[in-house]
Structures are given as structure tokens and as C-alpha cells.
């Protein structure tokens, strides 16, 4: 989760950790991606794309995808968001899973 100024706490791996790979692209809504401030500076903050964001390819590592049946939830999140990033209501993500390796290769 973001800290007061938008920074991220340390990851479970310690401070920062290396980029894994950039095979999965930011080519659709619902991509889960690591936020960082340069190469190999991943911590414990992530973001979800609401549309294709190709300018992020090669800069941020995609590590998951919102399930197809849950994209309506993504639209609900978008409805309470704003351009600066603040939400008009509390948003909490819970009970989320892990992307199977076979899907990471697409």
C-alpha cells in the first residue's frame, strides 16, 4: 500500500528487488504491474491499468491480470477515481489470487 506521500514500503524481499522480465505487455485493461522508479527498483507498490498503456512496456513488470469476469469491478474502481489518483471512496483489494505461469507467457 502507498504511504502518505505515495511511496512504497519495503517488499517482502527487503528494500528493492530486480525486474523479473518484460514479456507480458501493458496491452489491455486489468494488467497488474509493479511500480518502480527506474530499472531494478521494485518495492511493494503496484498499479492496475484501466486501458492499454504501451508507454509502460519495458519500464514496469506486469505480474498479473484482473480476471475477465471481474473487469466490471475494475470499472467500479475507475468510477471513484480521479486523474490525480485520489479516490472519492475507500477502495480495498482483498482475496486476490496469483497468475498461473502459463498465462504469463501470453
Amino acid at each position: 500500500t502507498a504511504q502518505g506521500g505515495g511511496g512504497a514500503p519495503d517488499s517482502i524481499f527487503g528494500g528493492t528487488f530486480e525486474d523479473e522480465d518484460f514479456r507480458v505487455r501493458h496491452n489491455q485493461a486489468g494488467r497488474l504491474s509493479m511500480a518502480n522508479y527506474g530499472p531494478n527498483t521494485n518495492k511493494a507498490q503496484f498499479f492496475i491499468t484501466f486501458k492499454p498503456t504501451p508507454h509502460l512496456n519495458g519500464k514496469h513488470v506486469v505480474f498479473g491480470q484482473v480476471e475477465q469476469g471481474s473487469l466490471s469491478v475494475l470499472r467500479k474502481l475507475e468510477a471513484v477515481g480521479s486523474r490525480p489518483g485520489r479516490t472519492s471512496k475507500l477502495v480495498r483489494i482483498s482475496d486476490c489470487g496469483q497468475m498461473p505461469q502459463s498465462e504469463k507467457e501470453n
Side-chain angles (χ1 to χ4, degrees):
T1 59
Q3 296 173 338
D10 286 343
S11 75
I12 61 172
F13 305 109
T16 60
F17 59 96
E18 293 181 6
D19 295 325
E20 294 177 21
D21 65 61
F22 297 109
R23 288 181 294 183
V24 181
R25 314 302 277 166
H26 296 87
N27 60 355
Q28 62 190 47
R31 292 293 199 199
L32 305 174
S33 188
M34 292 300 301
N36 63 46
Y37 53 91
N40 302 311
T41 59
N42 297 292
K43 290 184 93 175
Q45 193 171 18
F46 68 93
F47 58 91
I48 302 171
T49 61
F50 289 88
K51 63 181 183 179
T53 51
H55 61 283
L56 301 176
N57 292 336
K59 297 176 184 169
H60 299 277
V61 175
V62 174
F63 66 91
Q65 171 68 40
V66 172
E67 290 183 354
Q68 205 61 31
S70 299
L71 288 175
S72 62
V73 174
L74 188 65
R75 297 297 161 224
K76 290 178 184 178
L77 289 171
E78 189 173 31
V80 298
S82 67
R83 185 157 280 297
R86 297 209 184 273
T87 58
S88 59
K89 295 182 179 180
L90 175 65
V91 173
R92 186 176 311 226
I93 298 171
S94 62
D95 193 24
C96 54
Q98 185 174 359
M99 181 184 233
Q101 186 64 36
S102 61
E103 290 184 36
K104 288 182 181 181
E105 296 168 1
N106 293 335

